[in-house]
């Protein structure tokens, strides 16, 4: 495809950028970006190290406050905070807001790892004042989610939610991080994906081991979420953040 073949506004923006930048300029910018990336890691480690481990809640930014899964995420976060766990979300609207709101109402730690996006993302008002972190790089943000989480609650969401979920599962499966519970909420929502993973990846192509499916738990209620977390920590004689 030639640059002249671009025919919509977004493609014209890309075309203009390609015309403006030489590869030498791109390489120079990439080198200096290393320092910005390092700064994000240092700031993130220092802030999250003081907060301590929590449970991460992932889910769609598009979920409205009156919808079932928003209300359920709020209840789950409330119960998690009452059980002694802090809550980490992406800091934005939708499920993220519900998670921070539930933690706030439960008197627990409420952390937001925010990132600037062209749509959907903005701060929600239920994050603790000193626990609202902002990131430019998705990969740095995901490191903070995984490094400081003692469990992952995955509500219905889109590509970003799937990315975060599979990142956590992959790191646990490859033993790059400790084995923490990955809890998918909403059997009806997740059934098709899980059935496909079992039928295609596990059984037909054998690209996933059958035992790896044991890393995932699927539930429907806040009681089940707390039960999975409590059973895990009782089994491994760990304790939440009292």
């Amino acid at each position: 495809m030639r640059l002249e073949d671009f025919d919509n506004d977004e493609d014209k923006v890309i075309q203009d950028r390609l015309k403006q930048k030489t590869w030498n300029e791109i390489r120079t910018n990439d080198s200096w970006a290393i320092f910005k990336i390092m700064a994000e890691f240092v700031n993130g480690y220092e802030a999250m190290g003081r907060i301590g481990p929590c449970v991460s809640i992932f889910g769609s930014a598009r979920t409205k406050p009156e919808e079932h899964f928003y209300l359920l995420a709020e209840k789950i976060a409330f119960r998690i905070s009452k059980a002694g766990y802090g809550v980490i979300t992406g800091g934005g609207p939708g499920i993220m807001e519900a998670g921070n709101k539930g933690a706030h109402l439960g008197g627990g730690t409420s952390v937001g790892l925010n990132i600037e996006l062209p749509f959907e993302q903005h701060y929600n008002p239920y994050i603790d004042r000193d626990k609202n972190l902002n990131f430019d790089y998705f990969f740095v943000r995901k490191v903070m989610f995984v490094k400081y989480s003692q469990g992952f609650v995955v509500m219905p969401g889109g590509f970003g939610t799937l990315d975060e979920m599979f990142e956590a599962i992959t790191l646990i499966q490859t033993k790059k991080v400790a084995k923490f519970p990955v809890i998918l909420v909403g059997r009806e929502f997740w059934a098709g994906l899980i059935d496909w993973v079992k039928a295609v990846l596990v059984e037909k192509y054998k690209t996933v081991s059958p035992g790896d499916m044991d890393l995932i738990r699927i539930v429907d209620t806040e009681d089940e979420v707390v039960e999975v977390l409590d059973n895990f920590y009782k089994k491994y004689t760990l304790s939440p953040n009292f």
Side-chain angles (χ1 to χ4, degrees):
M1 178 178 287
R2 300 170 302 170
L3 290 178
E4 292 80 4
D5 294 330
F6 290 85
D7 58 2
N8 60 47
D9 291 341
E10 183 178 354
D11 290 338
K12 287 177 182 177
V13 171
I14 297 173
Q15 181 183 14
D16 290 341
R17 288 177 179 173
L18 289 172
K19 286 180 176 179
Q20 290 169 4
K21 286 191 174 183
T22 66
W23 284 113
N24 284 335
E25 290 173 324
I26 292 171
R27 284 201 300 269
T28 300
N29 290 339
D30 286 348
S31 297
W32 282 105
I34 291 172
F35 295 100
K36 189 174 182 180
I37 293 167
M38 289 173 60
E40 284 206 354
F41 273 117
V42 171
N43 290 337
Y45 285 155
E46 287 186 348
M48 296 299 290
R50 291 192 295 269
I51 293 168
C54 301
V55 172
S56 286
I57 297 179
F58 302 133
S60 175
R62 304 184 187 189
T63 307
K64 300 295 187 294
E66 67 274 11
E67 293 180 10
H68 167 71
F69 284 113
Y70 182 105
L71 298 172
L72 181 56
E74 183 181 330
K75 292 177 183 176
I76 288 170
F78 180 86
R79 290 287 303 278
I80 286 175
S81 66
K82 286 298 186 183
Y85 306 93
V87 171
I88 303 174
T89 80
I95 295 295
M96 295 173 281
E97 178 181 288
N100 289 127
K101 182 178 180 181
H104 177 75
L105 293 174
T109 299
S110 180
V111 184
L113 307 183
N114 213 293
I115 191 162
E116 184 175 346
L117 299 176
F119 52 90
E120 294 173 351
Q121 190 81 351
H122 58 77
Y123 296 115
N124 72 67
Y126 301 105
I127 304 167
D128 295 344
R129 181 172 298 180
D130 60 338
K131 298 177 178 64
N132 189 13
L133 284 70
N134 194 48
F135 295 88
D136 286 322
Y137 297 96
F138 266 110
F139 63 91
V140 179
R141 180 179 181 242
K142 287 199 290 184
V143 168
M144 301 304 150
F145 271 123
V146 174
K147 181 175 176 61
Y148 294 99
S149 292
Q150 292 179 306
F152 305 93
V153 175
V154 190
M155 306 294 296
F159 287 139
T161 301
L162 294 175
D163 176 49
E164 291 160 341
M165 178 188 74
F166 281 118
E167 173 91 3
I169 293 171
T170 299
L171 291 172
I172 294 169
Q173 184 263 337
T174 55
K175 295 180 172 54
K176 295 299 182 181
V177 299
K179 182 180 178 181
F180 293 128
V182 179
I183 308 166
L184 278 53
V185 181
R187 286 186 173 89
E188 182 179 359
F189 180 89
W190 295 107
L193 175 63
I194 298 303
D195 289 344
W196 178 82
V197 170
K198 290 178 179 178
V200 178
L201 303 187
V202 176
E203 296 175 7
K204 185 174 182 179
Y205 291 100
K206 297 178 172 53
T207 53
V208 170
S209 300
D212 291 339
M213 298 304 297
D214 296 335
L215 299 174
I216 304 169
R217 295 290 305 273
I218 306 178
V219 304
D220 278 319
T221 69
E222 63 269 27
D223 290 337
E224 291 175 291
V225 171
V226 175
E227 181 182 4
V228 172
L229 290 171
D230 284 346
N231 288 342
F232 176 85
Y233 285 99
K234 287 176 183 175
K235 178 179 179 181
Y236 292 99
T237 62
L238 299 171
S239 62
N241 306 314
F242 283 117

